[in-house]
Amino acid sequence: MKMNQVCYYKSINFIGKVMFLVVLALPRFDELGNEIFSEKFGVFPFVTQEAAKRSSVNRPAGIMETKRMTGVKRETIKSYMVEKLIPAIKEKWPVEDIDCPILIQQDNARTHIDVNDVEFHQAAQKMVLIYI
């Protein structure tokens, strides 16, 4: 969803909720106390693009609409981590710390991937990632 996109709802009781995967890192400081690294790696909304099935006053049929994902499952979380999280970390991680281990921490939600997930470990092999 674009940041400047405005959504209109007919009722305040039916506003859709969107889940996000947010990736942050702790700031790093040099010996003088200057911040040398404070990075937001990315905010990834769980949305899909679907073609409108019918025409309405607001848009013709076939126009791509942003829809929220309902029932985010473990496979969706894993695909977001492999396809979006790891490339974002690779792109923005400081060069001087490239050989240091990177810890990825999740809460205890049932949808999060397992610590011993083979596909995630294969994708993380290219970087020094530790998943906890």
Side-chain angles (χ1 to χ4, degrees):
M1 183 182 299
K2 296 178 183 175
M3 295 306 290
N4 59 358
Q5 185 177 359
V6 178
C7 296
Y8 295 99
Y9 297 97
K10 292 184 178 183
S11 171
I12 198 164
N13 296 325
F14 299 104
I15 296 175
K17 296 168 182 68
V18 177
M19 192 166 95
F20 293 91
L21 173 65
V22 179
V23 185
L24 301 171
L26 291 173
R28 308 247 172 114
F29 300 95
D30 62 5
E31 50 280 340
L32 300 174
N34 299 324
E35 189 174 287
I36 56 173
F37 177 74
S38 176
E39 193 65 50
K40 176 177 77 171
F41 290 104
V43 177
F44 307 107
F46 287 95
V47 295
T48 58
Q49 293 286 327
E50 296 178 4
K53 295 178 183 172
R54 290 179 258 176
S55 302
S56 73
V57 178
N58 299 323
R59 47 140 183 81
I63 296 289
M64 296 304 285
E65 292 182 314
T66 303
K67 302 265 183 162
R68 64 186 172 98
M69 285 185 191
T70 56
V72 176
K73 296 188 170 46
R74 185 172 296 212
E75 295 82 27
T76 309
I77 297 282
K78 182 168 41 174
S79 69
Y80 266 61
M81 291 183 79
V82 169
E83 297 168 8
K84 296 183 179 190
L85 176 124
I86 292 176
I89 292 174
K90 284 182 183 179
E91 178 184 329
K92 296 181 180 179
W93 194 255
V95 178
E96 60 271 6
D97 292 335
I98 200 68
D99 55 347
C100 297
I102 299 168
L103 302 175
I104 297 177
Q105 181 179 358
Q106 300 184 94
D107 58 8
N108 291 329
R110 288 179 286 147
T111 58
H112 292 263
I113 64 173
D114 188 34
V115 175
N116 300 321
D117 187 82
V118 176
E119 184 180 345
F120 179 77
H121 279 285
Q122 288 174 351
Q125 286 297 65
K126 298 169 188 164
M127 275 188 83
V128 182
L129 287 176
I130 297 174
Y131 173 72
I132 57 173

